[in-house]
Amino acid sequence: MKTAWMVLLYLFIFGLSLYFYSTQLNGPTADLHQRLLPVEIKTIKAGMSEDELQKIVEDAKQGGDTLSIAGMQHSQGGQTVYPDGIMIDMKPYNQIIEVNEEKKTVMVQSGATWANIQEAINPYGLSLKVSQSQNIFTIGGSLSVNAHGLDIRNGSLADTVVSMRLMNADGEILQLSPQENTELFYAALGGYGLFGIILDVTLQLTDDELYETDTARMTYSDYPSYFKQHVQKNPDAKMHLARISIAPESFMKDMYAITYKTASDQGQLSAYQELKTENLVAVPKFFLGLSRINEAGKDSFWNAQKTYTKQIDGNLVSRNNVMRSDSEFMEYDNSRKTEILQEYFVPVDQFEDYIPEMKAVLEAHPDFNLLNVTIRYVEQNEKAVLSYAKEDMFSLVLLVNQGTDAESIEKTQQVVREMIDVTLAHNGSYYLPYFGYPTKAQMQAAYPKTEEFFELKDRLDPEHRFMNLFYEEYRP
Amino acid sequence: MNYKRFIYYQGTIGMASSMIFPFYILLIKNVGNSYAQFGWAYGLFALTAALCYPLIGKYADHVGDKTLLAVYSWGMAILLLFFPLASEVWHVYILQVFMGMLGAVQKNSEKTVLARYVTKEIAGTQIGRYHVWTSVATAVAVIATGYLIDFLTIASIFYVASLVFAWSGMLLLKLNMPEPQQ
Ligand SMILES: Cc1cc2nc3c(=O)[nH]c(=O)nc-3n(C[C@H](O)[C@H](O)[C@H](O)COP(=O)(O)OP(=O)(O)OC[C@H]3O[C@@H](n4cnc5c(N)ncnc54)[C@H](O)[C@@H]3O)c2cc1C
């Protein structure tokens, strides 16, 4: 009968819809890390003024609501969201309050991005001491993950904070610095938004400087000694990065390094000081696109990278411009779609043994689509409770192209866990702002103070006003 | 009585559509992000409805109210299954066009049924009673959904509403209506 057919057809479409809906939820399409985490956000309130923020916190307290804090939301493991909670969008809270030329400091509201600060301080010939390689992140988000970048001389980002103000779960505003409220200070730095809202921050700056680009090629086993000899020991070397090949021909063997050294003639600085804007991302983007497709593409991407690196040897560039890298911006552009990041830290002296073991893991999983590995240096620094730099470390940032279905996610998880096991076996650690692939046990091994961190959270915010999925997943 | 069944039917679809409407806005908000897009989404809905009325009016007298109501019920049941999948503004636009068509079908049929079955002398009382019950059903649905949504996701509201529409389609089977006069 007609109706029976109708009912059958309906049930069929119902089933199809459910199927697509659930795979869409499991699978990242537009925004990988967001889609992987099905959460609803009840309200998004732009935190414009201190009073308004205070009101949000007080209302939440009264209504028993949970708050999560968001900057640019480039973290990929649900650090800015909580189911059914209220997400506070800090982006509109972005004034540059003061640039102090004499003391070389800048005071900013936490929703400002590094780009905002650079524009404000560049005219004074000042520069940030530490930031990520790109300048797209907010200060609040960067402090809350205790970010690191290309600079090798200024310690960690936490070291550059002169002081900051934080609004706690009771809506009180506290002054934090290495001298004041230190416990909270070192918990909030790398605190993933769990200890309160960072309001404004005073950062120590340094002088903008003219650098000469110095590039070199080597195999991985020569890299640690190259780094120690030519970079660490050379007082002129200020910023550094390297890449290791992911191309089949030279997989996990060939490397090139880029070091920015103080140029001998600083008189030319003014000619290079203008902040550059994005240029020609299309070319690297094209090669990255090729490398996503197949092995031959990876070879040509690696060759293009090498050629490019050779070309920039000897180039002059200002410190501020090094800190707004565009070649990496393109990496981000893709990572938003179907690409995820991973970052592992391994002690400098372990590097030579570590790489072959990583290589073995990767070769055992030929489907794992690795697109790029960037290597940087982080100096030992254990001030933050969740500190990843237990010794002087090399950090490896992996850009991975990942399938969107449940099965691919499962596969990536397996490879990630294996890689972290290898990393841990070499006294390494991993970076926390990325997707929650690692196990709880792996976090505890990488961060010996994990338990202390969560206990501190429970003590300072017993009602769990500030929450996110990271807490939910990794609370021991 | 037939008339009671019709009220029951209208109450059911009233419930289903009021379940989704307040939350439907949330969906558009997630998908679109400007007032202009809001405007377009609702404008398209109204515009397609306007274009469809003349056609539907003619058809109503040919194929009969019951068939049109069935088209509406099953149409909505199926259409709602696409809402959870919408992720782009243009998806919402397309859905709105279909919503506009089906909405016109329902509005027109509701009135033709009333026109055909209401006794002229007591039309006021009858239509009044009709509105009481359909409004009560609507109110109950909106309030209940408000609570439900705390436990379910927005997507599941669409699935539940779709099932209610399918159920209303089944209700139509029991509704006896005279065949259309040619
Ligand atoms: C393409 C790409 C490249 C990256 N490169 C680097 C790199 O070179 N070096 C590096 O160290 N990291 C890097 N990261 C990681 C990045 O530094 C972190 O994800 C950082 O947190 C992003 O800043 P955000 O403004 O997007 O913060 P969000 O993701 O919005 O927030 C991060 C955390 O900070 C909290 N938070 C944000 N604002 C505040 C506030 N005002 N008060 C309190 N808590 C707050 C949030 O609750 C959340 O837990 C990279 C990430 C991507 C996607």
Side-chain angles (χ1 to χ4, degrees):
Chain A
M1 226 194 79
K2 248 203 260 167
T3 321
W5 280 114
M6 193 62 233
V7 170
L8 273 181
L9 177 69
Y10 172 73
L11 288 176
F12 177 63
I13 301 179
F14 195 100
L16 270 186
S17 170
L18 264 185
Y19 171 73
F20 281 119
Y21 178 66
S22 56
T23 49
Q24 198 181 49
L25 268 189
N26 289 333
T29 48
D31 201 346
L32 177 96
H33 44 287
Q34 299 295 343
R35 284 298 175 90
L36 285 173
L37 305 159
V39 275
E40 275 174 43
I41 292 139
K42 263 191 178 161
T43 4
I44 298 183
K45 297 182 179 175
M48 295 293 284
S49 73
E50 228 161 74
D51 294 346
E52 278 175 77
L53 277 174
Q54 217 149 15
K55 183 150 185 341
I56 291 174
V57 174
E58 274 158 17
D59 285 352
K61 198 177 162 157
Q62 244 143 49
D65 284 321
T66 306
L67 299 172
S68 68
I69 312 170
M72 283 294 166
Q73 291 193 276
H74 289 311
S75 50
Q76 302 178 341
Q79 286 87 350
T80 57
V81 288
Y82 194 72
D84 247 0
I86 297 172
M87 187 180 82
I88 305 177
D89 177 6
M90 295 301 291
K91 290 197 292 290
Y93 194 75
N94 63 357
Q95 296 300 308
I96 309 285
I97 301 169
E98 191 200 10
V99 183
N100 189 323
E101 209 176 345
E102 240 164 73
K103 288 193 188 155
K104 296 183 186 167
T105 59
V106 65
M107 188 179 185
V108 289
Q109 292 184 331
S110 63
T113 62
W114 296 124
N116 298 146
I117 300 187
Q118 285 184 325
E119 278 152 29
I121 64 178
N122 191 53
Y124 297 96
L126 294 172
S127 182
L128 292 161
K129 280 189 151 181
V130 177
S131 72
Q132 292 93 324
S133 314
Q134 297 104 310
N135 59 4
I136 54 180
F137 309 106
T138 65
I139 301 349
S142 305
L143 291 178
S144 299
V145 302
N146 195 15
H148 58 98
L150 301 178
D151 186 282
I152 56 167
R153 300 293 177 200
N154 288 302
S156 79
L157 179 57
D159 291 328
T160 74
V161 179
V162 179
S163 67
M164 64 192 197
R165 292 189 315 142
L166 177 127
M167 187 181 292
N168 69 14
D170 296 319
E172 287 166 356
I173 297 176
L174 303 171
Q175 186 80 31
L176 315 183
S177 74
Q179 295 82 34
E180 247 177 304
N181 288 316
T182 38
E183 187 184 47
L184 190 51
F185 183 68
Y186 290 113
L189 293 169
Y192 291 88
L194 291 170
F195 294 90
I197 306 170
I198 298 173
L199 295 176
D200 39 52
V201 184
T202 304
L203 293 170
Q204 188 64 57
L205 303 173
T206 180
D207 289 318
D208 195 14
E209 229 186 328
L210 188 65
Y211 292 145
E212 187 178 330
T213 314
D214 179 31
T215 68
R217 286 183 55 184
M218 66 215 68
T219 55
Y220 76 93
S221 47
D222 296 333
Y223 177 64
S225 59
Y226 170 86
F227 180 80
K228 285 184 195 163
Q229 285 299 316
H230 296 90
V231 183
Q232 211 171 18
K233 280 208 184 122
N234 180 349
D236 280 341
K238 300 291 171 58
M239 307 183 96
H240 175 82
L241 83 154
R243 290 209 168 83
I244 190 163
S245 168
I246 49 97
E249 283 173 1
S250 49
F251 190 65
M252 284 285 163
K253 193 166 147 265
D254 274 14
M255 287 186 66
Y256 67 79
I258 304 176
T259 308
Y260 297 97
K261 299 179 170 166
T262 306
S264 43
D265 180 10
Q266 287 297 315
Q268 288 188 67
L269 174 62
S270 59
Y272 292 90
Q273 243 173 340
E274 193 185 329
L275 293 180
K276 66 180 173 163
T277 42
E278 285 318 312
N279 48 25
L280 279 186
V281 264
V283 178
K285 217 171 171 159
F286 170 74
F287 282 106
L288 186 56
L290 284 185
S291 79
R292 223 173 266 134
I293 300 169
N294 61 19
E295 311 279 89
K298 288 185 174 39
D299 281 328
S300 55
F301 182 42
W302 179 246
N303 288 331
Q305 280 180 316
K306 277 193 300 195
T307 317
Y308 174 75
T309 307
K310 216 171 179 175
Q311 269 172 13
I312 62 171
D313 191 66
N315 278 6
L316 295 174
V317 56
S318 78
R319 177 180 175 90
N320 274 335
N321 277 326
V322 175
M323 293 175 111
R324 43 199 291 133
S325 129
D326 51 30
S327 64
E328 295 208 38
F329 179 77
M330 107 219 151
E331 290 172 11
Y332 163 68
D333 198 35
N334 293 289
S335 78
R336 241 180 54 195
K337 300 261 166 24
T338 49
E339 264 128 52
I340 60 148
L341 289 168
Q342 282 289 302
E343 182 162 2
Y344 307 131
F345 303 94
V346 63
V348 170
D349 294 328
Q350 296 280 333
F351 185 82
E352 204 180 330
D353 297 333
Y354 172 71
I355 292 296
E357 287 187 37
M358 281 291 269
K359 185 178 174 194
V361 172
L362 290 165
E363 280 175 342
H365 300 278
D367 290 345
F368 188 73
N369 197 1
L370 182 60
L371 297 183
N372 188 56
V373 181
T374 302
I375 296 173
R376 291 174 300 187
Y377 170 73
V378 288
E379 205 176 54
Q380 187 210 11
N381 193 308
E382 298 198 79
K383 287 181 190 152
V385 181
L386 287 185
S387 159
Y388 43 77
K390 295 176 274 195
E391 309 174 36
D392 290 351
M393 305 267 209
F394 285 131
S395 86
L396 282 78
V397 179
L398 282 68
L399 180 69
V400 180
N401 183 289
Q402 191 201 299
T404 58
D405 51 309
E407 196 190 335
S408 317
I409 291 170
E410 179 76 24
K411 272 189 188 160
T412 307
Q413 171 163 301
Q414 193 193 332
V415 183
V416 163
R417 288 182 177 175
E418 281 180 38
M419 289 193 295
I420 293 181
D421 279 341
V422 168
T423 310
L424 292 171
H426 288 275
N427 273 331
S429 58
Y430 71 94
Y431 201 28
L432 295 171
Y434 303 128
F435 191 71
Y437 284 130
T439 65
K440 271 188 191 181
Q442 286 180 326
M443 172 163 178
Q444 275 158 314
Y447 294 87
K449 290 191 191 165
T450 301
E451 218 152 300
E452 184 185 325
F453 177 83
F454 286 102
E455 277 166 16
L456 205 57
K457 156 73 182 170
D458 294 347
R459 177 153 62 79
L460 296 175
D461 179 14
E463 289 176 29
H464 287 178
R465 187 69 50 235
F466 298 105
M467 279 298 271
N468 58 32
L469 289 179
F470 167 72
Y471 179 99
E472 198 79 1
E473 260 178 86
Y474 287 102
R475 174 89 180 90
Chain B
M1 209 218 95
N2 231 346
Y3 189 62
K4 243 188 202 155
R5 288 221 172 106
F6 177 62
I7 294 184
Y8 186 22
Y9 168 75
Q10 281 292 133
T12 310
I13 60 162
M15 254 167 74
S17 46
S18 51
M19 266 177 88
I20 51 161
F21 270 114
F23 307 104
Y24 180 42
I25 303 216
L26 286 179
L27 178 85
I28 303 190
K29 209 167 98 186
N30 283 341
V31 171
N33 47 22
S34 76
Y35 290 110
Q37 287 171 340
F38 261 84
W40 268 109
Y42 278 102
L44 277 173
F45 175 86
L47 210 67
T48 22
L51 291 173
C52 290
Y53 277 127
L55 223 79
I56 294 165
K58 247 196 221 148
Y59 258 93
D61 298 331
H62 278 286
V63 298
D65 301 324
K66 194 171 155 179
T67 312
L68 284 185
L69 289 176
V71 167
Y72 173 69
S73 284
W74 289 108
M76 284 300 288
I78 290 172
L79 192 60
L80 287 189
L81 298 177
F82 288 90
F83 276 85
L85 305 178
S87 57
E88 226 72 272
V89 185
W90 65 268
H91 296 162
V92 174
Y93 288 166
I94 290 179
L95 290 171
Q96 278 292 74
V97 166
F98 283 103
M99 291 281 279
M101 289 194 219
L102 290 172
V105 168
Q106 157 63 18
K107 262 197 179 160
N108 213 70
S109 315
E110 177 194 13
K111 269 146 215 164
T112 50
V113 172
L114 284 175
R116 288 193 229 277
Y117 296 100
V118 163
T119 320
K120 268 201 189 116
E121 288 72 25
I122 51 162
T125 326
Q126 282 186 323
I127 292 185
R129 198 175 53 189
Y130 163 76
H131 276 143
V132 170
W133 291 114
T134 47
S135 306
V136 166
T138 307
V140 170
V142 176
I143 296 167
T145 317
Y147 283 101
L148 202 65
I149 204 137
D150 271 340
F151 302 100
L152 301 172
T153 59
I154 295 190
S156 50
I157 297 296
F158 287 100
Y159 287 117
V160 173
S162 165
L163 285 171
V164 179
F165 272 115
W167 169 245
S168 77
M170 307 294 282
L171 284 182
L172 281 175
L173 291 178
K174 292 197 204 139
L175 209 64
N176 292 316
M177 283 185 185
E179 289 303 312
Q181 301 111 344
Q182 293 304 88

